[in-house]
Amino acid sequence: MAPITEAQVERVRALVASIPPGFVATYGDIAAAADLSSPRIVGWIMRTDSADLPWHRVLGASGRPAPHLATRQLENLRSEGVPVHDGRVALRSIRFDFGALPPPPASTTNLGE
DNA sequence: GTACTGACGAACT
DNA sequence: AAGTTCGCCAGTA
């Protein structure tokens, strides 16, 4: 099987889109939820196609976004009610739990796994 | 095919 | 606490 498939990309995009306002998720969490081999794949997907996604809700494991986007991320997050402290987000307080989400019906989402 | 890079992460110093 | 190194995987040169 190919290193990565469109299904994986769509899965990641869906996960990011499922993050509710006021919450954030890490690349590692998304990678795990999407069953990816490495969090770098998530970063690759984000930089490739994140135009219609709430990419500002995606942070690194340190609770801090990438340096070149940090300013923009923190500003957007703060607008959503996310408590930002010194360019940092309290991950352990607002980290989104994908495991708490209800599983989608496989009948209509058979991605041929 | 090898080397370098990069929206990452954990371990080590 | 902060900086460095290694592992990870896809893309590009």
Side-chain angles (χ1 to χ4, degrees):
Chain A
M1 118 181 212
I4 191 160
T5 65
E6 289 296 327
Q8 296 291 79
V9 177
E10 293 302 302
R11 179 63 59 99
V12 171
R13 290 168 52 78
L15 287 165
V16 175
S18 71
I19 303 172
F23 286 85
V24 297
T26 70
Y27 294 93
D29 280 358
I30 295 168
D35 197 46
L36 292 174
S37 324
S38 174
R40 290 224 160 175
I41 308 300
V42 179
W44 166 71
I45 294 171
M46 295 297 288
R47 93 139 141 142
T48 301
D49 187 1
S50 62
D52 56 311
L53 290 175
W55 53 274
H56 54 269
R57 293 183 194 144
V58 183
L59 302 169
S62 304
R64 192 180 159 184
H68 50 277
L69 300 171
T71 308
R72 211 131 96 111
Q73 296 306 88
L74 297 170
E75 192 175 341
N76 285 322
L77 290 169
R78 211 164 66 172
S79 297
E80 293 190 342
V82 175
V84 179
H85 176 68
D86 190 49
R88 185 121 136 205
V89 177
L91 269 185
R92 62 192 226 162
S93 297
I94 60 169
R95 189 177 186 171
F96 183 66
D97 182 3
F98 291 105
L101 278 174
S107 304
T108 55
T109 57
N110 54 336
L111 300 173
E113 183 165 291

